[in-house]
């Protein structure tokens, strides 16, 4: 068994750990496999190995609740940022975004800056003169590159500093097809136009909160004064005091901010508006991951069936050659008859 087959077996074992919810074992094995893969020679098989092991690693960390560690694991497990497979980086960034983490911003910016647009069709690594002149994984299509760009821009504009100006500056300098650049700039201009409106809404909401606080403080002061009256006046009715307390508690509940763990995302294309929750985004990523794992399993089964079929074919060919390689004397049957004829004469 060569080194490639041994590594594929370990990758399949790590995928089995992931499917069986043995996430700690999956993380340890996939991380070890990635370090061994980095020592192999560059090629298509090496790229597939890195992609498979990397997907197991980031998904296991996500299931363990250690999404914040994905960035460090990617930097440690791969020799360079450009060596990180596209699928692994995309899913890792989506996992970070779904949990409101902005750590992936620097890694995405570094990765996207290492590619040049060639002939308006594909992206190649910086310094490459042709598509085949590559040291890392295969080239990126324009759609794949734009998927990473969209995730990067959403992290910049929706998480952390929420700096739309920084996103606009990056898009203007990035190596993008001109048509795609203009589309992105129009979307960012729309976000900028909404920014003053949102700031005015936030100021008005802060005024409303201040009014609620004043009303609450006045209600609490009224409650204290009535409580003192109750202590001084024995004829005070207990029913009225309890009713006032219930009123104050009801006002206090109204001033509490509402909380919903799954924030919705609104996408507007012209007059069409689409509202999507982050729960659906995470669920879609999880379904895509399950499909990816099943596809990898099917590829492994197909590879094993081809190997068994080739060995069986070789065995049949050997048996056929052995059967027809034995030399038979065609006169062997006639020899006893000629001997008998000589005895008779």
């Amino acid at each position: 068994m060569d080194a490639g087959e041994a590594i594929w077996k370990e990758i399949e074992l790590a995928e089995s750990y992931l499917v069986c919810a043995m996430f700690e074992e999956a993380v340890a094995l996939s991380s070890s496999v990635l370090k061994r893969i980095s020592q192999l020679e560059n090629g298509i098989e090496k790229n597939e190995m890195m992609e498979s092991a990397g997907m197991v690693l980031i998904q296991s960390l996500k299931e363990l609740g250690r999404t914040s560690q994905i960035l460090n694991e990617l930097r440690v497990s791969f020799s360079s940022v450009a060596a990180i497979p596209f699928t692994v980086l995309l899913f890792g960034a989506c996992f970070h975004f779904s949990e409101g983490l902005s750590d992936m911003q620097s890694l995405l910016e570094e990765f996207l800056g290492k590619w040049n647009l060639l002939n308006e069709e594909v992206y190649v690594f910086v310094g490459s003169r042709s598509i085949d002149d590559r040291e890392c994984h295969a080239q990126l299509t324009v759609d794949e590159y734009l998927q990473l760009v969209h995730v990067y821009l959403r992290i910049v504009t929706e998480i952390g500093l929420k700096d739309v100006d920084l996103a606009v500056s990056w898009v203007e300098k990035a190596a993008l097809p001109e048509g795609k650049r203009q589309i992105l700039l129009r979307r960012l201009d729309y976000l900028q136009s909404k920014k003053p409106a949102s700031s005015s809404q936030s100021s008005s909401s802060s005024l409303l909160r201040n009014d609620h606080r004043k009303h609450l403080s006045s209600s609490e002061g009224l409650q204290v004064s009535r409580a003192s009256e109750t202590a001084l006046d024995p004829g005070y009715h207990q029913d009225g005091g309890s009713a006032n307390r219930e009123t104050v508690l009801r006002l206090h509940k109204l001033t509490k901010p509402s909380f919903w763990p799954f924030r919705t995302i609104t996408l507007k294309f012209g007059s069409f508006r689409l509202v999507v929750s982050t729960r659906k985004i995470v669920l879609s990523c999880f379904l895509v991951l399950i499909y990816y794992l099943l596809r990898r399993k099917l590829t492994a089964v197909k590879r094993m069936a081809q190997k068994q079929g080739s060995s069986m074919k070789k065995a049949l060919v050997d048996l056929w050659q052995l059967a027809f390689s034995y030399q038979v004397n065609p006169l062997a049957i006639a020899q006893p008859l000629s001997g008998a004829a000589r005895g008779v004469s």
Side-chain angles (χ1 to χ4, degrees), residues 125-332:
F125 192 64
V126 172
S128 301
R129 297 181 179 179
S130 64
I131 296 176
D132 298 328
D133 185 15
R134 288 299 316 278
E135 295 180 355
C136 304
H137 43 82
Q139 74 274 4
L140 292 181
T141 64
V142 174
D143 291 337
E144 290 174 340
Y145 189 85
L146 287 176
Q147 288 182 46
L148 291 174
V149 169
H150 285 306
V151 177
Y152 169 74
L153 293 178
R154 294 199 62 182
I155 291 176
V156 172
T157 57
E158 299 182 23
I159 301 176
L161 298 176
K162 300 180 180 179
D163 193 347
V164 181
D165 294 332
L166 176 62
V168 171
S169 175
W170 187 89
V171 171
E172 289 176 347
K173 299 176 182 178
L176 295 170
E178 194 58 34
K180 303 294 184 181
R181 189 198 311 276
Q182 295 303 321
I183 293 174
L184 292 175
L185 288 175
R186 282 197 294 269
R187 293 178 181 176
L188 292 173
D189 289 339
Y190 174 73
L191 288 178
Q192 266 185 330
S193 63
K194 287 180 61 179
K195 196 173 181 180
S198 62
S199 61
S200 62
Q201 289 178 359
S202 63
S203 60
S204 61
S205 62
S206 63
L207 291 175
L208 289 175
R209 284 196 296 270
N210 292 332
D211 292 340
H212 276 299
R213 291 194 188 99
K214 291 179 181 178
H215 185 71
L216 179 60
S217 61
S218 62
S219 299
E220 288 177 348
L222 180 62
Q223 181 66 19
V224 171
S225 64
R226 290 187 177 180
S228 61
E229 289 178 1
T230 304
L232 295 174
D233 187 6
Y236 181 79
H237 296 287
Q238 298 296 328
D239 293 339
S242 61
N244 290 329
R245 282 195 296 273
E246 290 177 0
T247 303
V248 173
L249 291 174
R250 192 178 299 112
L251 288 173
H252 182 63
K253 289 180 179 179
L254 288 175
T255 58
K256 287 184 177 180
S258 60
F259 176 75
W260 182 247
F262 299 101
R263 184 166 54 89
T264 58
I265 299 172
T266 304
L267 302 175
K268 186 175 180 182
F269 304 94
S271 61
F272 178 76
R273 185 184 296 271
L274 177 64
V275 179
V276 184
S277 67
T278 53
R279 179 192 299 177
K280 293 182 179 179
I281 296 176
V282 174
L283 181 60
S284 300
C285 291
F286 186 71
L287 292 176
V288 172
L289 179 65
I290 292 177
Y291 168 75
Y292 173 82
L293 292 177
L294 291 177
R295 191 187 68 177
R296 293 298 310 171
K297 284 291 183 184
L298 182 61
T299 304
V301 171
K302 188 183 296 184
R303 190 186 303 115
M304 188 179 299
Q306 290 177 353
K307 189 180 296 183
Q308 294 292 334
S310 62
S311 61
M312 186 177 296
K313 179 181 178 181
K314 184 178 179 181
L316 290 174
V317 171
D318 292 341
L319 181 62
W320 184 271
Q321 292 178 352
L322 181 63
F324 287 93
S325 63
Y326 182 78
Q327 298 295 329
V328 180
N329 187 3
L331 301 178

